[in-house]
Amino acid sequence: MMWSRIIKNSITLGQTRIASSLVPGEPECPDIKTDLPGPESKKLRKELGAMQETGSVEVFGDYDKSIGNYFVDADGNIFLDAFCQISCVSVGYNHPELLKVFNDEHNMKCMINRPALAVFPGITWPKRIQNLLSQISPCLPNMTLMMCGTCSNENAFKNIFIAYQRKKRGENVDFSEEEKKTCVLNKPPGSPNLSILSFLNAFHGRTMASLATTHSKYIQKIDLPSLNWPIAHFPMYKYPLEENKRENDEEDQKCLAEVEDLIEQYDKCGVPVAGIIVEPIQSEGGNNEASPHFFQELQKTAKRHGAYLLLDEVQTGGGGTGRFWCHEYFDLETPPDLVTFSKKMQLGGYFHTLELTPKLPSRVFNTWMGDPGKVILLENIIRIIGEQNLLEVVQNTGKKLKCNLHDFEKEFCHLIDSVRGPGTFLAFNAKSVKIRDQIIRNMKCKGVMCGGCGIQGVRLRPALIFQEHHADIFLAKLREVLMEL
Ligand SMILES: Cc1ncc(COP(=O)(O)O)c(C=O)c1O
């Protein structure tokens, strides 16, 4: 697999790696100088608030001064960032190799002359796509680029429906006149009754179809009409996993049986399931993991029913789990039919099989269809991941973090439990929502950013350059916070 090439290329470099920070010039520790948010952030928020809704703004970033794992805010407060713009920062802030990228005149021209890529791609574009496919594709031959995670899922659904109908219609059969007329009026048979099966607590985005497969928080959905598509339970495991194997295996079986039932039910009602969308680890919904067995069986179920399997790696992709794609851990018998991405990859998109490529032009289409500037950044991020051996860094740092978090859940068993996740893609639960919110707030006041997930989860989403000495700082601050609660 291509991602293993990334690791191999860099092992020699890794062996001679020194223990200092992978991004030079990082501060040694967090430094909080003001109340949070500080006066400058408050002022900027008021200014912006006169023009936009700013309810979710926490602090304003000083992206000139932020460096490596350290986020600097408008008031000069320095945070160790273990949340990284909701899991988007790949190789840290202002990585020296990325700062050089647009000094190159060709790269700069690619960025400023942004083409409508589906109509006027640049002369280097085929090579760029080929290079991305050969380096990071999860063994899927085609790639479609988009902008964000939501629009990647939204458009991937279209590929699924188009391929599903083609299969039904037969390769050489044309659209009927009735189909052409009815689709314009949103009516069958032109607009067929088809569905995508998704899971409770999933998050796949916020546009209409992707929102119909999102089931985490009511505030994301309320007042918005939606699609009556099937929703199955995702396994909810008991921790520690080793002590709850029997119950967790039963949980897998129960959820898989429900998937099978729902597919049959929807088929009988005339709304067949054309695809299944699932996160390798439900991220916003609580860092909920499922076993390789669950995913292997889910893939078999999808195949048995002629439904396509879409793995949403928008949050899990790009290395935070210690593998470039989280589903590499699942040992699936064939690659999934589609894999969507965004966040650490800098732009959205999806890999897919040839079967999922529409035969006619403009069926999956928008003006930009990607962004060369972001692709150039991604190419360099992939190079840096190899040169700095970052998947191994993630695995080592992750081991240290997880091992210490396990100690904390014993020492502070009245406060936290259920430590989980691979690599640095980690989470634990607090005993109540109130305690969870206190942990996140108090960590921030001590200069460490982490995030919430699910009902009472705390999640870590550091950059791939988060090393063991950063983990030491994180753990020391967390211990202080837990002691003080
Ligand atoms: C798994 C997953 N899918 C899709 C999305 C939506 O991505 P975006 O916010 O880029 O639209 C997210 C965002 O958090 C996500 O975590």
Side-chain angles (χ1 to χ4, degrees), residues 28 34 56 92 167-168 198 245 298 407 473:
E28 278 180 10
T34 69
S56 55
K167 219 167 31 177
K168 218 167 91 183
S198 54
K245 188 163 175 356
L298 186 68
D407 289 345
I473 298 171

Side-chain angles (χ1 to χ4, degrees), residues 148-151 153 203-205 279 283-284 312 314-315 342-343:
C148 63
T150 300
C151 69
N153 287 327
F203 187 93
H204 299 296
E279 293 157 271
S283 304
E284 305 295 309
D312 177 348
V314 166
Q315 193 153 156
S342 188
K343 293 205 184 257

Side-chain angles (χ1 to χ4, degrees), residues 113-350:
N113 298 299
R114 186 179 179 187
L117 278 162
V119 190
F120 303 108
I123 53 179
T124 53
W125 196 239
K127 190 101 210 124
R128 297 214 119 103
I129 298 295
Q130 192 189 27
N131 283 344
L132 281 184
L133 278 167
S134 70
Q135 289 186 89
I136 55 165
S137 167
C139 295
L140 289 167
N142 268 21
M143 183 169 65
T144 302
L145 289 177
M146 289 286 155
M147 298 312 302
C148 63
T150 300
C151 69
S152 303
N153 287 327
E154 188 86 17
N155 282 282
F157 293 167
K158 287 176 61 180
N159 290 63
I160 288 176
F161 293 136
I162 290 168
Y164 190 87
Q165 286 300 90
R166 189 174 63 230
K167 219 167 31 177
K168 218 167 91 183
R169 203 180 270 121
E171 205 53 55
N172 298 316
V173 182
D174 246 345
F175 309 124
S176 69
E177 285 310 311
E178 197 193 1
E179 282 175 319
K180 288 183 200 168
K181 250 191 248 156
T182 51
C183 74
V184 183
L185 303 169
N186 303 348
K187 300 252 182 321
S191 295
N193 289 319
L194 296 175
S195 61
I196 301 283
L197 182 143
S198 54
F199 289 90
L200 214 62
N201 297 314
F203 187 93
H204 299 296
R206 297 166 185 256
T207 53
M208 297 309 274
S210 63
L211 189 63
T213 61
T214 284
H215 315 288
S216 50
K217 295 195 182 92
Y218 80 87
I219 197 69
Q220 296 155 353
K221 291 177 71 93
I222 200 149
D223 289 340
L224 304 170
S226 198
L227 295 155
N228 184 15
W229 287 352
I231 307 162
H233 285 84
F234 190 78
M236 285 294 149
Y237 290 158
K238 289 204 178 111
Y239 289 86
L241 291 176
E242 321 73 71
E243 288 169 28
N244 294 283
K245 188 163 175 356
R246 192 176 49 80
E247 285 99 317
N248 293 338
D249 286 350
E250 281 169 13
E251 179 72 357
D252 277 354
Q253 286 320 116
K254 216 166 68 188
C255 296
L256 287 163
E258 190 185 14
V259 170
E260 187 89 37
D261 274 359
L262 282 168
I263 294 178
E264 283 167 11
Q265 259 179 49
Y266 270 69
D267 200 27
K268 271 195 206 127
C269 299
V271 192
V273 172
I276 298 177
I277 184 167
V278 64
E279 293 157 271
I281 297 172
Q282 288 191 328
S283 304
E284 305 295 309
N287 243 72
N288 307 318
E289 305 167 299
S291 66
H293 172 75
F294 173 81
F295 283 99
Q296 288 159 12
E297 291 302 312
L298 186 68
Q299 184 178 49
K300 285 184 195 150
T301 306
K303 283 185 184 173
R304 218 171 25 250
H305 291 278
Y308 297 103
L309 181 65
L310 188 171
L311 285 192
D312 177 348
E313 291 249 24
V314 166
Q315 193 153 156
T316 47
T321 65
R323 304 269 178 95
F324 198 85
W325 301 112
C326 181
H327 75 266
E328 290 170 53
Y329 284 107
F330 302 157
D331 215 3
L332 298 175
E333 64 180 14
T334 59
D337 299 292
L338 310 94
V339 176
T340 49
F341 57 80
S342 188
K343 293 205 184 257
K344 283 193 173 58
M345 306 283 284
Q346 309 303 306
L347 83 170
Y350 44 105

Side-chain angles (χ1 to χ4, degrees), residues 84-123:
C84 279
Q85 315 283 329
I86 327 178
S87 196
C88 292
V89 181
S90 180
V91 294
Y93 297 101
N94 289 312
H95 193 290
E97 289 296 311
L98 292 189
L99 288 177
K100 285 188 217 155
V101 165
F102 295 108
N103 291 343
D104 176 283
E105 194 180 329
H106 170 70
N107 287 351
M108 178 58 100
K109 286 179 174 167
C110 285
M111 183 170 70
I112 63 174
N113 298 299
R114 186 179 179 187
L117 278 162
V119 190
F120 303 108
I123 53 179

